[in-house]
mmCIF file of all heavy atoms in Angstrom:
data_model
loop_
_atom_site.group_PDB
_atom_site.id
_atom_site.type_symbol
_atom_site.label_atom_id
_atom_site.label_comp_id
_atom_site.label_asym_id
_atom_site.label_seq_id
_atom_site.Cartn_x
_atom_site.Cartn_y
_atom_site.Cartn_z
ATOM 1 N N LYS A 1552 16.993 61.901 101.067
ATOM 2 C CA LYS A 1552 16.857 61.692 102.509
ATOM 3 C C LYS A 1552 15.760 62.575 103.007
ATOM 4 O O LYS A 1552 15.494 63.632 102.511
ATOM 5 C CB LYS A 1552 18.155 61.916 103.194
ATOM 6 C CG LYS A 1552 19.251 60.990 102.801
ATOM 7 C CD LYS A 1552 20.453 61.119 103.581
ATOM 8 C CE LYS A 1552 21.496 60.117 103.093
ATOM 9 N NZ LYS A 1552 22.788 60.370 103.564
ATOM 10 N N ASN A 1553 15.135 62.158 104.099
ATOM 11 C CA ASN A 1553 14.078 62.910 104.711
ATOM 12 C C ASN A 1553 14.570 64.163 105.441
ATOM 13 O O ASN A 1553 13.943 65.223 105.416
ATOM 14 C CB ASN A 1553 13.254 62.110 105.737
ATOM 15 C CG ASN A 1553 12.506 60.976 105.070
ATOM 16 O OD1 ASN A 1553 12.237 61.067 103.869
ATOM 17 N ND2 ASN A 1553 12.200 59.909 105.747
ATOM 18 N N GLU A 1554 15.749 64.023 106.030
ATOM 19 C CA GLU A 1554 16.296 65.097 106.864
ATOM 20 C C GLU A 1554 17.720 65.385 106.369
ATOM 21 O O GLU A 1554 18.515 64.477 106.220
ATOM 22 C CB GLU A 1554 16.305 64.678 108.301
ATOM 23 C CG GLU A 1554 16.811 65.738 109.231
ATOM 24 C CD GLU A 1554 16.760 65.267 110.710
ATOM 25 O OE1 GLU A 1554 16.073 64.301 111.001
ATOM 26 O OE2 GLU A 1554 17.493 65.884 111.507
ATOM 27 N N ILE A 1555 18.025 66.658 106.220
ATOM 28 C CA ILE A 1555 19.343 67.035 105.791
ATOM 29 C C ILE A 1555 20.192 67.270 107.030
ATOM 30 O O ILE A 1555 19.888 68.120 107.907
ATOM 31 C CB ILE A 1555 19.342 68.306 104.927
ATOM 32 C CG1 ILE A 1555 18.621 68.059 103.629
ATOM 33 C CG2 ILE A 1555 20.755 68.811 104.640
ATOM 34 C CD1 ILE A 1555 18.499 69.247 102.719
ATOM 35 N N LYS A 1556 21.290 66.520 107.170
ATOM 36 C CA LYS A 1556 22.256 66.735 108.237
ATOM 37 C C LYS A 1556 23.331 67.634 107.691
ATOM 38 O O LYS A 1556 24.054 67.274 106.793
ATOM 39 C CB LYS A 1556 22.805 65.403 108.728
ATOM 40 C CG LYS A 1556 21.746 64.544 109.357
ATOM 41 C CD LYS A 1556 22.238 63.247 109.819
ATOM 42 C CE LYS A 1556 21.119 62.403 110.409
ATOM 43 N NZ LYS A 1556 21.524 61.080 110.747
ATOM 44 N N VAL A 1557 23.420 68.820 108.304
ATOM 45 C CA VAL A 1557 24.242 69.888 107.683
ATOM 46 C C VAL A 1557 25.733 69.506 107.751
ATOM 47 O O VAL A 1557 26.432 69.654 106.711
ATOM 48 C CB VAL A 1557 23.961 71.195 108.422
ATOM 49 C CG1 VAL A 1557 24.890 72.292 107.873
ATOM 50 C CG2 VAL A 1557 22.531 71.614 108.258
ATOM 51 N N PHE A 1558 26.259 69.104 108.896
ATOM 52 C CA PHE A 1558 27.680 68.918 108.968
ATOM 53 C C PHE A 1558 28.187 67.808 108.054
ATOM 54 O O PHE A 1558 29.179 68.007 107.323
ATOM 55 C CB PHE A 1558 28.123 68.621 110.412
ATOM 56 C CG PHE A 1558 29.604 68.599 110.609
ATOM 57 C CD1 PHE A 1558 30.391 69.704 110.471
ATOM 58 C CD2 PHE A 1558 30.198 67.375 110.885
ATOM 59 C CE1 PHE A 1558 31.710 69.680 110.625
ATOM 60 C CE2 PHE A 1558 31.602 67.297 111.023
ATOM 61 C CZ PHE A 1558 32.357 68.465 110.901
ATOM 62 N N PRO A 1559 27.568 66.653 107.975
ATOM 63 C CA PRO A 1559 28.012 65.622 106.987
ATOM 64 C C PRO A 1559 27.861 66.077 105.553
ATOM 65 O O PRO A 1559 28.701 65.768 104.704
ATOM 66 C CB PRO A 1559 27.082 64.424 107.267
ATOM 67 C CG PRO A 1559 26.660 64.603 108.667
ATOM 68 C CD PRO A 1559 26.554 66.045 108.906
ATOM 69 N N LEU A 1560 26.796 66.891 105.271
ATOM 70 C CA LEU A 1560 26.654 67.400 103.949
ATOM 71 C C LEU A 1560 27.752 68.366 103.578
ATOM 72 O O LEU A 1560 28.340 68.313 102.515
ATOM 73 C CB LEU A 1560 25.293 68.122 103.772
ATOM 74 C CG LEU A 1560 25.058 68.869 102.427
ATOM 75 C CD1 LEU A 1560 25.027 67.860 101.304
ATOM 76 C CD2 LEU A 1560 23.789 69.613 102.516
ATOM 77 N N LEU A 1561 28.103 69.253 104.508
ATOM 78 C CA LEU A 1561 29.227 70.201 104.275
ATOM 79 C C LEU A 1561 30.537 69.461 104.072
ATOM 80 O O LEU A 1561 31.339 69.841 103.248
ATOM 81 C CB LEU A 1561 29.315 71.203 105.401
ATOM 82 C CG LEU A 1561 28.190 72.214 105.494
ATOM 83 C CD1 LEU A 1561 28.370 73.099 106.731
ATOM 84 C CD2 LEU A 1561 28.152 73.071 104.238
ATOM 85 N N ARG A 1562 30.730 68.397 104.820
ATOM 86 C CA ARG A 1562 31.945 67.624 104.682
ATOM 87 C C ARG A 1562 32.033 66.975 103.297
ATOM 88 O O ARG A 1562 33.056 66.984 102.643
ATOM 89 C CB ARG A 1562 31.995 66.529 105.778
ATOM 90 C CG ARG A 1562 33.368 65.781 105.756
ATOM 91 C CD ARG A 1562 33.524 64.731 106.800
ATOM 92 N NE ARG A 1562 32.901 65.062 108.050
ATOM 93 C CZ ARG A 1562 32.064 64.261 108.715
ATOM 94 N NH1 ARG A 1562 31.723 63.081 108.230
ATOM 95 N NH2 ARG A 1562 31.573 64.622 109.877
ATOM 96 N N ARG A 1563 30.908 66.401 102.799
ATOM 97 C CA ARG A 1563 30.892 65.826 101.454
ATOM 98 C C ARG A 1563 31.063 66.861 100.378
ATOM 99 O O ARG A 1563 31.779 66.682 99.397
ATOM 100 C CB ARG A 1563 29.563 65.105 101.225
ATOM 101 C CG ARG A 1563 29.543 63.739 101.918
ATOM 102 C CD ARG A 1563 28.397 62.861 101.452
ATOM 103 N NE ARG A 1563 27.101 63.435 101.627
ATOM 104 C CZ ARG A 1563 26.400 63.391 102.760
ATOM 105 N NH1 ARG A 1563 26.926 62.776 103.806
ATOM 106 N NH2 ARG A 1563 25.242 63.948 102.893
ATOM 107 N N ILE A 1564 30.455 68.051 100.592
ATOM 108 C CA ILE A 1564 30.643 69.160 99.607
ATOM 109 C C ILE A 1564 32.132 69.589 99.581
ATOM 110 O O ILE A 1564 32.725 69.759 98.490
ATOM 111 C CB ILE A 1564 29.734 70.370 99.971
ATOM 112 C CG1 ILE A 1564 28.303 69.983 99.679
ATOM 113 C CG2 ILE A 1564 30.164 71.589 99.203
ATOM 114 C CD1 ILE A 1564 27.346 71.035 100.213
ATOM 115 N N TRP A 1565 32.753 69.706 100.730
ATOM 116 C CA TRP A 1565 34.175 70.108 100.830
ATOM 117 C C TRP A 1565 35.105 69.077 100.129
ATOM 118 O O TRP A 1565 36.015 69.408 99.409
ATOM 119 C CB TRP A 1565 34.563 70.323 102.254
ATOM 120 C CG TRP A 1565 35.851 71.013 102.478
ATOM 121 C CD1 TRP A 1565 36.985 70.431 102.973
ATOM 122 C CD2 TRP A 1565 36.162 72.361 102.202
ATOM 123 N NE1 TRP A 1565 38.023 71.349 103.035
ATOM 124 C CE2 TRP A 1565 37.519 72.573 102.571
ATOM 125 C CE3 TRP A 1565 35.468 73.437 101.744
ATOM 126 C CZ2 TRP A 1565 38.145 73.763 102.488
ATOM 127 C CZ3 TRP A 1565 36.087 74.633 101.630
ATOM 128 C CH2 TRP A 1565 37.432 74.814 101.957
#
Side-chain angles (χ1 to χ4, degrees):
K1552 298 184 179 168
N1553 293 338
E1554 182 179 343
I1555 295 178
K1556 295 180 181 174
V1557 176
F1558 187 69
L1560 175 63
L1561 290 176
R1562 187 179 322 130
R1563 283 194 299 277
I1564 290 170
W1565 192 250

